[in-house]
Amino acid sequence: MNQQDIRSAAAMLWQHLEQSTRFDELPPHCRPTSRAEAYAIQAELAKLSGQNVAGWKIAATSTAGQRHIHVDGPLAGCLLSGRGLEAGARISLAGNHMKVAEAEFAFRMAKPLPGRAAAYSVPEALAAVASLHPAIEVPDSRYEDFTRVGEAQLIADVACACWFVIGPATRADWRAVDLAQHKVAAYRNGALAGQGAGANVLGDPRIALAWVANELSTHGEGLRIGDVVMTGTCVTPVAVVAGDNVRMDFGDFGVLEVNFG
């Protein structure tokens, strides 16, 4: 792809993201065929948005999620600062295709993990973290059928990023906890809607963090100080409609809720 093709794809995706609309897929002349091309489109989309990149999300962190969208592994997407909302926010579902809420562990970086040839280990990635936060993602796609467009087009579409809420940093000693075994419960309108644990995220949210660090080391500039990394849903996505209240209970790590309109 040349730079004009990258700009064309990014402009198309940004227009649909901004307007909460959808289309079939990118035209052949600007359709990415590799992760490198897809991440180049992502970066251009972020520039076109005029917003800062607040951090990163991971999509398809479970085998079931990968099967659902027909990909072989996880995907990283940038989080645009204008899409970050406060705890308790009212989130509009107008134009939202997926209509789900996801409970996620999020890490905030204290140190950068820049691009390099050698892979980052899990201990190295954790050593760069400042804090752990409960988080909720409300994803969406700009494609009419996001299950069939393939890995590269999904990455170009910021890995289905849309709205996200990062809760306060937990005061619990999270480094002493086995995050893979840590339980999370999802409630919709006060009723239990799902339960899960950190193991549903690539086996462990800490493994997911290292995965992002290495993905961005290969296909970007790496993680920066202050970046938030949302590690993927640890509970089966909760279906929502306008009027719903969703509360995600991370136990000692905190409780986070949002409302939908």
Side-chain angles (χ1 to χ4, degrees), residues 2-65:
N2 59 40
Q3 194 59 37
Q4 184 55 49
D5 293 337
I6 290 170
R7 287 196 195 99
S8 295
M12 201 173 303
L13 288 164
W14 168 239
Q15 179 183 3
H16 286 284
L17 174 57
E18 189 176 32
Q19 298 177 1
S20 296
T21 53
R22 299 188 298 276
F23 67 123
D24 285 337
E25 60 182 333
L26 290 166
H29 78 275
C30 61
R31 187 180 303 160
T33 58
S34 68
R35 284 188 173 237
E37 291 177 349
Y39 284 116
I41 293 170
Q42 253 199 56
E44 187 65 24
L45 185 156
K47 290 179 185 176
L48 288 174
S49 76
Q51 300 175 29
N52 294 324
V53 173
W56 300 86
K57 62 157 286 185
I58 318 176
T61 51
S62 69
T63 302

Short mmCIF file of all heavy atoms in Angstrom, two decimals, residues 2-65:
data_model
loop_
_atom_site.label_atom_id
_atom_site.label_comp_id
_atom_site.label_asym_id
_atom_site.label_seq_id
_atom_site.Cartn_x
_atom_site.Cartn_y
_atom_site.Cartn_z
N ASN A 2 0.52 2.24 -0.81
CA ASN A 2 1.23 3.51 -0.74
C ASN A 2 0.54 4.42 0.28
O ASN A 2 -0.52 4.10 0.82
CB ASN A 2 1.33 4.18 -2.12
CG ASN A 2 -0.05 4.46 -2.72
OD1 ASN A 2 -0.97 4.87 -2.02
ND2 ASN A 2 -0.18 4.24 -4.03
N GLN A 3 1.16 5.57 0.55
CA GLN A 3 0.64 6.45 1.59
C GLN A 3 -0.76 6.96 1.28
O GLN A 3 -1.59 7.11 2.19
CB GLN A 3 1.60 7.63 1.81
CG GLN A 3 1.35 8.40 3.09
CD GLN A 3 1.45 7.55 4.34
OE1 GLN A 3 2.29 6.65 4.42
NE2 GLN A 3 0.59 7.80 5.34
N GLN A 4 -1.05 7.18 0.02
CA GLN A 4 -2.38 7.64 -0.35
C GLN A 4 -3.44 6.58 -0.06
O GLN A 4 -4.55 6.88 0.41
CB GLN A 4 -2.43 8.03 -1.84
CG GLN A 4 -3.77 8.62 -2.28
CD GLN A 4 -4.18 9.82 -1.44
OE1 GLN A 4 -3.39 10.75 -1.22
NE2 GLN A 4 -5.41 9.81 -0.95
N ASP A 5 -3.10 5.33 -0.32
CA ASP A 5 -4.03 4.23 -0.01
C ASP A 5 -4.29 4.15 1.50
O ASP A 5 -5.42 3.94 1.93
CB ASP A 5 -3.46 2.90 -0.50
CG ASP A 5 -3.39 2.81 -2.01
OD1 ASP A 5 -4.14 3.53 -2.69
OD2 ASP A 5 -2.55 2.02 -2.51
N ILE A 6 -3.23 4.32 2.27
CA ILE A 6 -3.35 4.29 3.73
C ILE A 6 -4.26 5.42 4.21
O ILE A 6 -5.15 5.22 5.04
CB ILE A 6 -1.96 4.37 4.39
CG1 ILE A 6 -1.19 3.07 4.13
CG2 ILE A 6 -2.07 4.66 5.88
CD1 ILE A 6 0.26 3.12 4.52
N ARG A 7 -4.06 6.62 3.66
CA ARG A 7 -4.89 7.76 4.03
C ARG A 7 -6.35 7.54 3.64
O ARG A 7 -7.27 7.88 4.39
CB ARG A 7 -4.38 9.04 3.35
CG ARG A 7 -3.10 9.58 3.94
CD ARG A 7 -2.87 11.02 3.51
NE ARG A 7 -1.50 11.42 3.77
CZ ARG A 7 -0.53 11.44 2.87
NH1 ARG A 7 -0.78 11.07 1.62
NH2 ARG A 7 0.69 11.81 3.19
N SER A 8 -6.57 6.97 2.47
CA SER A 8 -7.94 6.72 2.00
C SER A 8 -8.67 5.76 2.93
O SER A 8 -9.83 5.99 3.31
CB SER A 8 -7.93 6.15 0.58
OG SER A 8 -7.42 7.08 -0.33
N ALA A 9 -8.00 4.68 3.31
CA ALA A 9 -8.61 3.71 4.21
C ALA A 9 -8.88 4.33 5.57
O ALA A 9 -9.97 4.16 6.15
CB ALA A 9 -7.69 2.49 4.36
N ALA A 10 -7.91 5.08 6.10
CA ALA A 10 -8.07 5.70 7.41
C ALA A 10 -9.21 6.72 7.40
O ALA A 10 -10.00 6.79 8.35
CB ALA A 10 -6.77 6.37 7.83
N ALA A 11 -9.31 7.51 6.34
CA ALA A 11 -10.37 8.52 6.25
C ALA A 11 -11.75 7.87 6.23
O ALA A 11 -12.70 8.35 6.86
CB ALA A 11 -10.17 9.38 5.00
N MET A 12 -11.87 6.76 5.51
CA MET A 12 -13.13 6.06 5.42
C MET A 12 -13.54 5.51 6.79
O MET A 12 -14.68 5.67 7.24
CB MET A 12 -13.01 4.93 4.40
CG MET A 12 -14.32 4.44 3.82
SD MET A 12 -14.03 3.26 2.46
CE MET A 12 -13.02 4.26 1.36
N LEU A 13 -12.60 4.87 7.46
CA LEU A 13 -12.89 4.28 8.77
C LEU A 13 -13.18 5.37 9.81
O LEU A 13 -14.09 5.22 10.63
CB LEU A 13 -11.72 3.40 9.22
CG LEU A 13 -11.58 2.08 8.47
CD1 LEU A 13 -10.21 1.47 8.70
CD2 LEU A 13 -12.67 1.11 8.88
N TRP A 14 -12.42 6.45 9.78
CA TRP A 14 -12.64 7.53 10.74
C TRP A 14 -14.01 8.17 10.54
O TRP A 14 -14.73 8.46 11.51
CB TRP A 14 -11.54 8.59 10.66
CG TRP A 14 -11.88 9.84 11.40
CD1 TRP A 14 -11.98 11.10 10.91
CD2 TRP A 14 -12.19 9.95 12.81
NE1 TRP A 14 -12.34 11.98 11.89
CE2 TRP A 14 -12.47 11.30 13.07
CE3 TRP A 14 -12.26 9.03 13.84
CZ2 TRP A 14 -12.81 11.76 14.34
CZ3 TRP A 14 -12.62 9.49 15.12
CH2 TRP A 14 -12.88 10.84 15.35
N GLN A 15 -14.43 8.36 9.31
CA GLN A 15 -15.75 8.93 9.04
C GLN A 15 -16.86 8.07 9.65
O GLN A 15 -17.78 8.57 10.30
CB GLN A 15 -15.98 9.08 7.54
CG GLN A 15 -17.35 9.64 7.18
CD GLN A 15 -17.59 9.71 5.68
OE1 GLN A 15 -16.76 9.30 4.89
NE2 GLN A 15 -18.73 10.22 5.29
N HIS A 16 -16.75 6.76 9.47
CA HIS A 16 -17.78 5.87 10.01
C HIS A 16 -17.71 5.79 11.54
O HIS A 16 -18.75 5.67 12.19
CB HIS A 16 -17.65 4.48 9.38
CG HIS A 16 -18.13 4.42 7.97
ND1 HIS A 16 -19.47 4.41 7.64
CD2 HIS A 16 -17.46 4.41 6.78
CE1 HIS A 16 -19.61 4.36 6.32
NE2 HIS A 16 -18.40 4.35 5.78
N LEU A 17 -16.51 5.85 12.10
CA LEU A 17 -16.38 5.85 13.56
C LEU A 17 -16.99 7.12 14.14
O LEU A 17 -17.75 7.07 15.13
CB LEU A 17 -14.89 5.75 13.94
CG LEU A 17 -14.53 5.88 15.42
CD1 LEU A 17 -15.27 4.86 16.27
CD2 LEU A 17 -13.03 5.74 15.61
N GLU A 18 -16.70 8.24 13.54
CA GLU A 18 -17.19 9.52 14.04
C GLU A 18 -18.72 9.62 13.94
O GLU A 18 -19.38 10.19 14.81
CB GLU A 18 -16.54 10.66 13.24
CG GLU A 18 -16.78 12.03 13.80
CD GLU A 18 -16.03 13.10 13.03
OE1 GLU A 18 -15.84 12.94 11.80
OE2 GLU A 18 -15.64 14.09 13.64
N GLN A 19 -19.28 9.03 12.88
CA GLN A 19 -20.72 9.15 12.62
C GLN A 19 -21.52 7.94 13.10
O GLN A 19 -22.74 7.90 12.94
CB GLN A 19 -20.95 9.38 11.13
CG GLN A 19 -20.33 10.66 10.61
CD GLN A 19 -20.50 10.85 9.11
OE1 GLN A 19 -21.11 10.01 8.43
NE2 GLN A 19 -19.99 11.94 8.59
N SER A 20 -20.84 6.95 13.68
CA SER A 20 -21.50 5.72 14.14
C SER A 20 -22.30 5.05 13.02
O SER A 20 -23.45 4.67 13.18
CB SER A 20 -22.43 6.01 15.33
OG SER A 20 -21.70 6.46 16.44
N THR A 21 -21.64 4.92 11.88
CA THR A 21 -22.24 4.27 10.72
C THR A 21 -21.36 3.10 10.29
O THR A 21 -20.26 2.91 10.80
CB THR A 21 -22.42 5.25 9.55
OG1 THR A 21 -21.15 5.89 9.29
CG2 THR A 21 -23.44 6.32 9.90
N ARG A 22 -21.85 2.31 9.33
CA ARG A 22 -21.15 1.10 8.91
C ARG A 22 -21.12 0.98 7.39
O ARG A 22 -21.94 1.58 6.69
CB ARG A 22 -21.81 -0.15 9.52
CG ARG A 22 -21.81 -0.17 11.02
CD ARG A 22 -22.31 -1.51 11.55
NE ARG A 22 -23.68 -1.80 11.18
CZ ARG A 22 -24.74 -1.35 11.83
NH1 ARG A 22 -24.58 -0.55 12.86
NH2 ARG A 22 -25.95 -1.68 11.45
N PHE A 23 -20.18 0.17 6.93
CA PHE A 23 -20.09 -0.14 5.50
C PHE A 23 -19.61 -1.57 5.35
O PHE A 23 -19.28 -2.23 6.34
CB PHE A 23 -19.19 0.86 4.76
CG PHE A 23 -17.73 0.79 5.13
CD1 PHE A 23 -16.77 0.55 4.16
CD2 PHE A 23 -17.29 0.98 6.44
CE1 PHE A 23 -15.41 0.50 4.48
CE2 PHE A 23 -15.94 0.95 6.76
CZ PHE A 23 -15.01 0.70 5.78
N ASP A 24 -19.64 -2.09 4.13
CA ASP A 24 -19.33 -3.52 3.93
C ASP A 24 -17.88 -3.84 4.26
O ASP A 24 -17.59 -4.67 5.11
CB ASP A 24 -19.65 -3.95 2.50
CG ASP A 24 -21.15 -4.10 2.28
OD1 ASP A 24 -21.87 -4.30 3.28
OD2 ASP A 24 -21.60 -3.99 1.13
N GLU A 25 -16.95 -3.21 3.57
CA GLU A 25 -15.52 -3.39 3.82
C GLU A 25 -14.74 -2.37 3.00
O GLU A 25 -15.30 -1.66 2.17
CB GLU A 25 -15.08 -4.81 3.48
CG GLU A 25 -15.29 -5.25 2.05
CD GLU A 25 -14.86 -6.70 1.84
OE1 GLU A 25 -13.99 -7.19 2.57
OE2 GLU A 25 -15.41 -7.33 0.93
N LEU A 26 -13.44 -2.30 3.26
CA LEU A 26 -12.60 -1.35 2.53
C LEU A 26 -12.48 -1.76 1.07
O LEU A 26 -12.42 -2.95 0.76
CB LEU A 26 -11.21 -1.28 3.17
CG LEU A 26 -11.16 -0.61 4.55
CD1 LEU A 26 -9.83 -0.92 5.23
CD2 LEU A 26 -11.36 0.89 4.42
N PRO A 27 -12.45 -0.79 0.15
CA PRO A 27 -12.29 -1.11 -1.27
C PRO A 27 -10.96 -1.82 -1.53
O PRO A 27 -9.99 -1.63 -0.78
CB PRO A 27 -12.30 0.27 -1.94
CG PRO A 27 -12.93 1.19 -0.96
CD PRO A 27 -12.58 0.65 0.39
N PRO A 28 -10.89 -2.64 -2.57
CA PRO A 28 -9.67 -3.42 -2.83
C PRO A 28 -8.40 -2.59 -2.89
O PRO A 28 -7.34 -3.03 -2.42
CB PRO A 28 -9.97 -4.08 -4.18
CG PRO A 28 -11.46 -4.22 -4.19
CD PRO A 28 -11.97 -2.99 -3.51
N HIS A 29 -8.47 -1.36 -3.44
CA HIS A 29 -7.24 -0.58 -3.61
C HIS A 29 -6.64 -0.10 -2.29
O HIS A 29 -5.45 0.22 -2.22
CB HIS A 29 -7.49 0.63 -4.54
CG HIS A 29 -8.19 1.78 -3.86
ND1 HIS A 29 -9.57 1.84 -3.75
CD2 HIS A 29 -7.71 2.90 -3.25
CE1 HIS A 29 -9.91 2.95 -3.11
NE2 HIS A 29 -8.80 3.60 -2.80
N CYS A 30 -7.46 -0.05 -1.22
CA CYS A 30 -6.92 0.40 0.07
C CYS A 30 -7.25 -0.59 1.19
O CYS A 30 -7.39 -0.21 2.34
CB CYS A 30 -7.41 1.80 0.41
SG CYS A 30 -9.19 1.97 0.58
N ARG A 31 -7.34 -1.85 0.82
CA ARG A 31 -7.63 -2.90 1.79
C ARG A 31 -6.31 -3.52 2.25
O ARG A 31 -5.55 -4.06 1.44
CB ARG A 31 -8.53 -3.96 1.16
CG ARG A 31 -9.04 -5.03 2.15
CD ARG A 31 -9.93 -6.02 1.41
NE ARG A 31 -11.05 -5.35 0.76
CZ ARG A 31 -11.75 -5.87 -0.24
NH1 ARG A 31 -11.45 -7.07 -0.71
NH2 ARG A 31 -12.76 -5.19 -0.76
N PRO A 32 -5.99 -3.49 3.54
CA PRO A 32 -4.71 -4.03 4.00
C PRO A 32 -4.68 -5.55 3.88
O PRO A 32 -5.70 -6.23 4.02
CB PRO A 32 -4.67 -3.61 5.47
CG PRO A 32 -6.11 -3.50 5.87
CD PRO A 32 -6.81 -2.98 4.65
N THR A 33 -3.51 -6.07 3.61
CA THR A 33 -3.33 -7.52 3.48
C THR A 33 -2.30 -8.04 4.49
O THR A 33 -1.95 -9.22 4.46
CB THR A 33 -2.88 -7.89 2.06
OG1 THR A 33 -1.66 -7.21 1.76
CG2 THR A 33 -3.95 -7.52 1.03
N SER A 34 -1.82 -7.18 5.38
CA SER A 34 -0.85 -7.59 6.39
C SER A 34 -1.08 -6.78 7.66
O SER A 34 -1.73 -5.72 7.64
CB SER A 34 0.58 -7.36 5.91
OG SER A 34 0.83 -5.96 5.80
N ARG A 35 -0.53 -7.27 8.77
CA ARG A 35 -0.63 -6.52 10.02
C ARG A 35 0.09 -5.17 9.91
O ARG A 35 -0.38 -4.17 10.44
CB ARG A 35 -0.05 -7.34 11.18
CG ARG A 35 -0.97 -8.45 11.64
CD ARG A 35 -0.50 -9.14 12.91
NE ARG A 35 -1.52 -10.07 13.35
CZ ARG A 35 -2.09 -10.05 14.55
NH1 ARG A 35 -1.73 -9.16 15.45
NH2 ARG A 35 -3.02 -10.93 14.87
N ALA A 36 1.22 -5.16 9.23
CA ALA A 36 1.98 -3.91 9.10
C ALA A 36 1.14 -2.84 8.41
O ALA A 36 1.09 -1.68 8.86
CB ALA A 36 3.27 -4.17 8.33
N GLU A 37 0.48 -3.19 7.31
CA GLU A 37 -0.38 -2.23 6.61
C GLU A 37 -1.56 -1.81 7.48
O GLU A 37 -1.94 -0.64 7.52
CB GLU A 37 -0.88 -2.84 5.30
CG GLU A 37 0.21 -3.02 4.25
CD GLU A 37 -0.29 -3.70 2.98
OE1 GLU A 37 -1.44 -4.23 2.98
OE2 GLU A 37 0.45 -3.69 1.99
N ALA A 38 -2.12 -2.77 8.21
CA ALA A 38 -3.28 -2.47 9.05
C ALA A 38 -2.93 -1.50 10.17
O ALA A 38 -3.68 -0.55 10.46
CB ALA A 38 -3.84 -3.76 9.63
N TYR A 39 -1.78 -1.70 10.81
CA TYR A 39 -1.38 -0.79 11.88
C TYR A 39 -1.00 0.59 11.32
O TYR A 39 -1.17 1.60 12.02
CB TYR A 39 -0.25 -1.38 12.71
CG TYR A 39 -0.71 -2.46 13.67
CD1 TYR A 39 -0.28 -3.79 13.53
CD2 TYR A 39 -1.58 -2.16 14.72
CE1 TYR A 39 -0.72 -4.78 14.41
CE2 TYR A 39 -2.01 -3.14 15.60
CZ TYR A 39 -1.58 -4.45 15.43
OH TYR A 39 -2.02 -5.42 16.30
N ALA A 40 -0.51 0.63 10.10
CA ALA A 40 -0.23 1.93 9.47
C ALA A 40 -1.54 2.70 9.27
O ALA A 40 -1.59 3.93 9.46
CB ALA A 40 0.48 1.72 8.13
N ILE A 41 -2.61 2.01 8.90
CA ILE A 41 -3.92 2.65 8.75
C ILE A 41 -4.42 3.14 10.10
O ILE A 41 -4.93 4.26 10.23
CB ILE A 41 -4.92 1.68 8.10
CG1 ILE A 41 -4.52 1.39 6.65
CG2 ILE A 41 -6.35 2.25 8.15
CD1 ILE A 41 -5.29 0.26 6.00
N GLN A 42 -4.27 2.31 11.13
CA GLN A 42 -4.64 2.72 12.49
C GLN A 42 -3.96 4.03 12.89
O GLN A 42 -4.59 4.95 13.42
CB GLN A 42 -4.21 1.65 13.49
CG GLN A 42 -5.32 0.82 14.06
CD GLN A 42 -4.90 0.13 15.35
OE1 GLN A 42 -4.46 0.78 16.31
NE2 GLN A 42 -5.04 -1.17 15.37
N ALA A 43 -2.66 4.10 12.66
CA ALA A 43 -1.90 5.28 13.04
C ALA A 43 -2.39 6.51 12.29
O ALA A 43 -2.49 7.61 12.85
CB ALA A 43 -0.41 5.05 12.79
N GLU A 44 -2.72 6.33 11.02
CA GLU A 44 -3.22 7.45 10.22
C GLU A 44 -4.60 7.87 10.69
O GLU A 44 -4.93 9.06 10.73
CB GLU A 44 -3.27 7.05 8.74
CG GLU A 44 -3.61 8.18 7.79
CD GLU A 44 -2.56 9.29 7.76
OE1 GLU A 44 -1.38 9.02 8.09
OE2 GLU A 44 -2.93 10.44 7.41
N LEU A 45 -5.44 6.90 11.08
CA LEU A 45 -6.76 7.22 11.60
C LEU A 45 -6.64 8.07 12.87
O LEU A 45 -7.39 9.05 13.04
CB LEU A 45 -7.53 5.92 11.90
CG LEU A 45 -8.99 6.03 12.34
CD1 LEU A 45 -9.74 4.73 12.00
CD2 LEU A 45 -9.13 6.32 13.83
N ALA A 46 -5.72 7.71 13.74
CA ALA A 46 -5.52 8.49 14.97
C ALA A 46 -5.13 9.92 14.63
O ALA A 46 -5.61 10.87 15.26
CB ALA A 46 -4.47 7.83 15.84
N LYS A 47 -4.28 10.10 13.63
CA LYS A 47 -3.89 11.46 13.22
C LYS A 47 -5.09 12.23 12.69
O LYS A 47 -5.31 13.40 13.03
CB LYS A 47 -2.81 11.39 12.14
CG LYS A 47 -1.45 10.92 12.62
CD LYS A 47 -0.47 10.85 11.46
CE LYS A 47 0.86 10.27 11.88
NZ LYS A 47 1.79 10.12 10.73
N LEU A 48 -5.89 11.58 11.85
CA LEU A 48 -7.07 12.24 11.27
C LEU A 48 -8.08 12.64 12.34
O LEU A 48 -8.78 13.65 12.20
CB LEU A 48 -7.74 11.32 10.26
CG LEU A 48 -7.03 11.10 8.93
CD1 LEU A 48 -7.76 10.04 8.10
CD2 LEU A 48 -6.93 12.40 8.14
N SER A 49 -8.15 11.87 13.41
CA SER A 49 -9.12 12.16 14.47
C SER A 49 -8.80 13.44 15.21
O SER A 49 -9.68 14.06 15.81
CB SER A 49 -9.19 10.99 15.46
OG SER A 49 -8.05 10.99 16.31
N GLY A 50 -7.53 13.83 15.22
CA GLY A 50 -7.11 14.98 15.99
C GLY A 50 -7.05 14.72 17.48
O GLY A 50 -6.89 15.64 18.28
N GLN A 51 -7.20 13.46 17.88
CA GLN A 51 -7.20 13.09 19.29
C GLN A 51 -5.89 12.40 19.66
O GLN A 51 -5.21 11.82 18.81
CB GLN A 51 -8.37 12.15 19.58
CG GLN A 51 -9.73 12.75 19.28
CD GLN A 51 -10.86 11.75 19.46
OE1 GLN A 51 -10.77 10.83 20.27
NE2 GLN A 51 -11.94 11.93 18.70
N ASN A 52 -5.55 12.47 20.93
CA ASN A 52 -4.40 11.75 21.42
C ASN A 52 -4.72 10.26 21.53
O ASN A 52 -5.87 9.87 21.70
CB ASN A 52 -3.97 12.27 22.80
CG ASN A 52 -3.46 13.69 22.74
OD1 ASN A 52 -2.81 14.09 21.78
ND2 ASN A 52 -3.77 14.46 23.77
N VAL A 53 -3.68 9.44 21.45
CA VAL A 53 -3.84 8.01 21.73
C VAL A 53 -3.65 7.83 23.24
O VAL A 53 -2.58 8.08 23.78
CB VAL A 53 -2.82 7.17 20.94
CG1 VAL A 53 -2.87 5.72 21.38
CG2 VAL A 53 -3.09 7.28 19.44
N ALA A 54 -4.75 7.43 23.91
CA ALA A 54 -4.72 7.28 25.36
C ALA A 54 -4.13 5.95 25.79
O ALA A 54 -3.75 5.79 26.95
CB ALA A 54 -6.14 7.41 25.92
N GLY A 55 -4.07 5.02 24.87
CA GLY A 55 -3.55 3.70 25.19
C GLY A 55 -4.00 2.69 24.16
O GLY A 55 -4.24 3.04 23.00
N TRP A 56 -4.16 1.42 24.62
CA TRP A 56 -4.40 0.33 23.68
C TRP A 56 -5.36 -0.70 24.27
O TRP A 56 -5.45 -0.87 25.49
CB TRP A 56 -3.06 -0.35 23.35
CG TRP A 56 -2.12 0.62 22.72
CD1 TRP A 56 -1.27 1.48 23.38
CD2 TRP A 56 -1.99 0.90 21.34
NE1 TRP A 56 -0.61 2.27 22.47
CE2 TRP A 56 -1.03 1.93 21.21
CE3 TRP A 56 -2.57 0.37 20.19
CZ2 TRP A 56 -0.66 2.45 19.97
CZ3 TRP A 56 -2.21 0.88 18.95
CH2 TRP A 56 -1.25 1.91 18.86
N LYS A 57 -6.05 -1.37 23.40
CA LYS A 57 -6.93 -2.47 23.78
C LYS A 57 -6.50 -3.71 23.03
O LYS A 57 -5.81 -3.63 22.00
CB LYS A 57 -8.38 -2.15 23.44
CG LYS A 57 -8.64 -1.95 21.94
CD LYS A 57 -10.08 -2.20 21.56
CE LYS A 57 -10.41 -3.69 21.57
NZ LYS A 57 -11.78 -3.98 21.09
N ILE A 58 -6.92 -4.86 23.55
CA ILE A 58 -6.70 -6.11 22.84
C ILE A 58 -8.05 -6.73 22.55
O ILE A 58 -8.90 -6.84 23.44
CB ILE A 58 -5.87 -7.13 23.64
CG1 ILE A 58 -4.70 -6.44 24.36
CG2 ILE A 58 -5.37 -8.23 22.74
CD1 ILE A 58 -3.92 -7.40 25.24
N ALA A 59 -8.25 -7.14 21.32
CA ALA A 59 -9.44 -7.88 20.93
C ALA A 59 -9.07 -9.34 20.71
O ALA A 59 -7.91 -9.66 20.44
CB ALA A 59 -10.04 -7.30 19.64
N ALA A 60 -10.07 -10.20 20.83
CA ALA A 60 -9.91 -11.64 20.56
C ALA A 60 -8.84 -12.28 21.44
O ALA A 60 -7.91 -12.91 20.97
CB ALA A 60 -9.60 -11.87 19.08
N THR A 61 -9.02 -12.12 22.76
CA THR A 61 -8.06 -12.69 23.69
C THR A 61 -8.47 -14.08 24.18
O THR A 61 -7.77 -14.68 24.98
CB THR A 61 -7.87 -11.77 24.91
OG1 THR A 61 -9.15 -11.43 25.45
CG2 THR A 61 -7.13 -10.51 24.53
N SER A 62 -9.61 -14.56 23.71
CA SER A 62 -10.03 -15.92 24.06
C SER A 62 -10.21 -16.74 22.79
O SER A 62 -10.42 -16.19 21.70
CB SER A 62 -11.35 -15.90 24.84
OG SER A 62 -12.42 -15.50 23.99
N THR A 63 -10.15 -18.04 22.93
CA THR A 63 -10.36 -18.92 21.77
C THR A 63 -11.75 -18.71 21.18
O THR A 63 -11.91 -18.67 19.95
CB THR A 63 -10.18 -20.39 22.18
OG1 THR A 63 -8.87 -20.55 22.73
CG2 THR A 63 -10.34 -21.31 20.99
N ALA A 64 -12.74 -18.54 22.06
CA ALA A 64 -14.11 -18.33 21.58
C ALA A 64 -14.22 -17.03 20.80
O ALA A 64 -14.87 -16.97 19.74
CB ALA A 64 -15.08 -18.32 22.76
N GLY A 65 -13.57 -15.97 21.30
CA GLY A 65 -13.59 -14.68 20.61
C GLY A 65 -12.90 -14.76 19.26
O GLY A 65 -13.35 -14.16 18.28
#
